[in-house]
Amino acid sequence: MAAKLLSFLFFSFHFLVFQLHFSAGQDVVRAAYWSAGSEFPVSDIDSTLFTHLFCAFADLDSQTNQVTVSSANQARFSTFTETVQLKNPYIKTLLSIGGGSSSASDFASMASQANTRKSFIDSSINIARSYGFHGLDLDWEYPSTPTEMNNLGLLLNEWRVALVNEAANTGNSRLLLSAAFFRNSDYYTLDYPIQAIQNSLDWINVMAYDFYGPGWSTVTGPPAALYNPGTQVSGDYGITSWIQSGIPSNKLVLGFPFYGYAWQLVDANNHGFFAPTSGPAITPNGDLGYGQIKDFISANSATEVYNATVVSNYCYAGTTWIGFDDTESITAKVSYCKQKGLLGYFAWHVGADDGWTLSRAASETWGS
Ligand SMILES: *[C@@H]1O[C@H](CO)[C@@H](O)[C@H](O)[C@H]1NC(C)=O
C-alpha cells in the first residue's frame, strides 16, 4: 500500500515537473509562415518539418480596432490548425496579424489609446480561440516614432496580461505571443521597448531579409546576407543588436527567405555582388519564389554561385542576376542559430519552397 502511494506520488511529481518544463517556454521553434496570398493549399503543407506554423495574415480593422479575417480567408484560417495537425498532431499554430502590406498608421492609431488597444487584444483572443490557434503573432511593419515604440510596449504588456488572465479564467493553456521585428536600432535608429518585449513575448521573429532588392538597391546584393562586413545589413548584425539590447539569445528566432530577387545587369560580364543594374528582372518587383528560381536556373542553364563569406547564393544567365538562399545558405544559417543558442528559425514562406528542399534542409540541420 505504502509502495503504491509512493509510486503514485513519484509519478505525480514527475508529471508536474514535465508540465512545468513545458509551460516554462518553448524548447525550439522550427517554423514557417504560410501566406494566404500564395494560394498554396494548407492541406499540402508538410507540417512534419516544423514545430510551429504562422497563418498570415489577419487584418486590423481601422474603424473598430479589432482583428478581422477577410471573408476570402475565413474558411482556410478557421480550419488551418486542424488541417496542419492531420500530419503533425504536435504542431503549434499562430495567427499572424498585419504584414508588409497592412497600414502601419492603423497599428499606430490602435496602439495609442487604452480602449483601442483593449478592442484589439480582446478580439485577437476571441478569434484565436474560435479558430483553434495556439497563439498570436504581431506583424506591425513598422512603428516609426519613439511614441509609437512606447505604445508598442504598452500594447505588448497589456496583451500578455490579457492572455494570462484568459488562460486562468478558462483553464486553457495560455496563448503564445510572438512578434516579427527587424533589427533593434533600425535604419531610423529607433529603440524597441526592450523591457516590455522581454516580459511579454515568448519570442521575437527577427526578419533578416530584404536587405537588397531591385526596388531599393541599384546594385545587386545578397538579399538575406548572414554576414556583410562593414555594414548593418546582415542577419548577424540584427541578431547581435537584439542580444546587445538585452534580449537573451533563446528568445530570438532567425528568419530567412524562401524567395529571392532578380535584377537586370548593366553588363553581363559584371555579375558579382554589388554589380550595377538597370532594375528588376522577370517580375515587376524582381521577387521570385525558390521554386521559380530553380525553374529559371534549369531553363536557362544559369551559373550558380554560393558565397560562404556572406552566406548567400546567386545565379546569373545573360543579363539576369538572382540573389537568394539555396540549401547551402539555409544550412549555414540554421547552424548559426544552434551555435548562437537561438530559440530557432523561421522561413517566409512555405508555399515558395520547391518540393520541401529548403524546409527539409533546415529541419535536418537542426536535428532532433
Ligand atoms: C563573397 O562576397 C564578398 C562580398 O562581395 C567578396 O568580398 C568575396 O570575395 C566573395 N567571396 C568569394 C569566394 O567570391
Side-chain angles (χ1 to χ4, degrees), residues 273-274 307 309-310:
F273 288 133
F274 314 119
N307 184 309
T309 309
V310 299

Side-chain angles (χ1 to χ4, degrees), residues 196-209:
I197 287 170
Q198 166 70 3
N199 293 344
S200 306
L201 292 182
D202 290 290
W203 70 83
I204 302 172
N205 282 347
V206 181
M207 294 183 281
Y209 38 79

